[in-house]
């Protein structure tokens, strides 16, 4: 309650994330004098950059034993999330909340399938219902 907002994924290492103290001694993570975060740091810190996210993505692929495929990464993950949400019939408001967007321009114009197969399929189904077709 001391600050209004802060980066969910702050850049750089968190103060309590270090394994060793500045003098080289091992850090005991249970001690209160080494907090994990501070109001000051979170309130004014920068967010993690896309380069770090891409590095983490590749590291996760390696840990999972998955070969890296060019073009698959955080962007592709967002595309799949938007397309799947649309295929499942998410509302416009739900789509905004799904990606934490203030409107639907970003998911519609950047991440969504340009052919919009789900919308075409839905329109075909509705036209058939209107015509009384099965």
């Amino acid at each position: 309650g001391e600050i209004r907002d802060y980066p969910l994924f702050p850049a750089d290492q968190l103060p309590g994330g270090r394994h060793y103290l500045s003098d080289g001694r091992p850090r005991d993570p249970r001690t209160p004098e080494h907090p994990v975060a501070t109001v000051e740091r979170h309130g004014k810190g920068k967010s993690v950059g896309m380069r770090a996210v891409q590095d983490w993505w590749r590291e996760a692929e390696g840990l999972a034993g998955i070969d890296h495929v060019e073009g698959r990464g955080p962007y592709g993950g967002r595309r799949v999330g938007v397309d799947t949400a649309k295929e499942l019939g998410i509302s416009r408001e739900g789509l905004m909340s799904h990606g934490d967007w203030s409107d639907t321009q970003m998911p519609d114009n950047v991440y969504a399938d340009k052919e919009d197969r789900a919308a075409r399929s839905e329109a075909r189904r509705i036209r058939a219902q209107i015509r009384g077709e099965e």
Side-chain angles (χ1 to χ4, degrees):
E2 295 179 43
I3 57 175
R4 181 179 169 101
D5 201 2
Y6 58 90
L8 183 58
F9 299 104
D12 302 323
Q13 192 176 46
L14 290 174
R18 292 175 177 84
H19 295 288
Y20 297 93
L21 301 175
S22 59
D23 63 8
R25 291 180 296 129
R27 181 184 75 81
D28 182 349
R30 298 165 294 182
T31 58
E33 63 268 14
H34 301 291
V36 174
T38 64
V39 173
E40 175 74 18
R41 184 176 187 291
H42 271 163
K44 295 181 180 171
K46 293 181 180 179
S47 295
V48 166
M50 183 49 75
R51 183 69 206 160
V53 173
Q54 290 168 336
D55 289 346
W56 294 339
W57 191 279
R58 284 194 181 207
E59 184 179 349
E61 287 175 328
L63 291 170
I66 300 170
D67 291 332
H68 178 72
V69 175
E70 199 59 40
R72 180 180 64 200
Y75 172 81
R78 294 291 288 238
R79 284 205 60 175
V80 168
V82 167
D83 290 344
T84 302
K86 284 184 157 195
E87 287 171 11
L88 293 173
I90 196 167
S91 68
R92 307 307 289 162
E93 295 79 11
L95 185 60
M96 289 165 46
S97 184
H98 177 68
D100 196 30
W101 293 293
S102 58
D103 60 37
T104 59
Q105 270 190 316
M106 183 62 82
D108 286 341
N109 297 335
V110 175
Y111 294 114
D113 176 8
K114 300 303 179 229
E115 296 179 25
D116 208 353
R117 291 177 280 253
R120 284 200 328 254
S121 176
E122 179 185 18
R124 184 172 43 250
R125 182 178 51 77
I126 295 299
R127 280 193 301 271
Q129 284 179 345
I130 291 170
R131 295 179 188 137
E133 301 169 355
E134 291 297 319

